[in-house]
Amino acid sequence: HSDRTASHTIQMNGEEVLYEFLTDLEKTSAELERKKRQKQLEQRMVECMAVVDAVQDPQSYVVADREAEDAVQFASLCGTIDTKKLVYAGHSMGGATAVSVTHTDSRARACFALDPWVLPLPTKVLETGAPHAKLVLVNSEPWGPTRWPKNYDALRPIISGSQRGSYIVTVPGLVHQSFSDFPLFVHKVRAFASGGEARVLSFCHMRRVHLAVCASD
């Protein structure tokens, strides 16, 4: 993302954007952090909806010459994606993005959010949810009602305001990073660090749980 929450982004004009950490002042004020995160959230929403716009209308997808090959690959997707069954999904800050963009984009039919973070969510989203879509919010144990009730309780009105059939579930034994793409690579990293061969060892087994949903943040 070009909202400075990606580790490294090269924008269309060639400008390089590095991850932007909170300032010391922002770390001391929840309100200042909320304002910063909401600004980042707004940028992410623009990017998400721009992707859907481009899939629906490939002619609107304009790229630089150096990305011509990517444009051809992107064009091959058009016509193969049913945007009438649009589902937004995300993890953590990405989960907040998915919930917020589902609220805003009337094309969305559902939202699947993993450990959605409520801090950056606008008040209207927190109060009304997404009346036109079904939401499934999956929390790891530390993000559930026992360990983090403030975040969990703020999700309940979102579910109440969304389509019938929306729900929240907390999975015991999972941690926040059980949902990231890290489980797909952890065994390779361990093998590389030890100098041995990569063995197929799932993060789920290391955490002693039977199920984990892997998705990108």
Side-chain angles (χ1 to χ4, degrees), residues 50-212:
V51 171
V52 179
D53 291 341
V55 171
Q56 289 184 326
D57 180 14
Q59 300 302 319
S60 68
Y61 183 66
V62 181
V63 297
D65 291 341
R66 60 184 171 81
E67 295 180 325
E69 183 177 347
D70 291 340
V72 172
Q73 294 177 351
F74 178 84
S76 67
L77 293 175
C78 299
T80 65
I81 300 174
D82 186 357
T83 55
K84 294 181 180 179
K85 297 180 179 179
L86 178 62
V87 179
Y88 285 107
H91 167 245
S92 195
M93 178 68 166
T97 305
V99 171
S100 192
V101 75
T102 299
H103 166 89
T104 302
D105 192 345
S106 60
R107 298 171 295 186
R109 292 293 171 264
C111 170
F112 187 72
L114 306 166
D115 278 350
W117 189 28
V118 302
L119 178 71
L121 290 176
T123 300
K124 190 173 182 179
V125 176
L126 290 169
E127 293 178 347
T128 63
H132 59 278
K134 287 186 178 181
L135 272 63
V136 176
L137 311 181
V138 182
N139 288 324
S140 63
E141 191 170 353
W143 287 57
T146 303
R147 302 275 292 277
W148 196 2
K150 183 177 181 180
N151 193 85
Y152 180 86
D153 291 344
L155 296 173
R156 298 176 68 85
I158 296 175
I159 291 297
S160 299
S162 300
Q163 269 191 10
R164 184 177 181 180
S166 300
Y167 62 90
I168 312 175
V169 60
T170 301
V171 184
L174 295 190
V175 295
H176 189 57
Q177 293 305 326
S178 297
F179 294 127
S180 73
D181 51 5
F182 183 70
L184 302 177
F185 302 101
V186 67
H187 64 280
K188 297 182 183 297
V189 174
R190 279 173 168 259
F192 178 78
S194 63
E197 294 183 0
R199 293 182 301 143
V200 180
L201 176 64
S202 74
F203 187 75
C204 304
H205 290 160
M206 290 195 296
R207 298 302 305 182
R208 295 183 180 179
V209 296
H210 300 292
L211 172 68

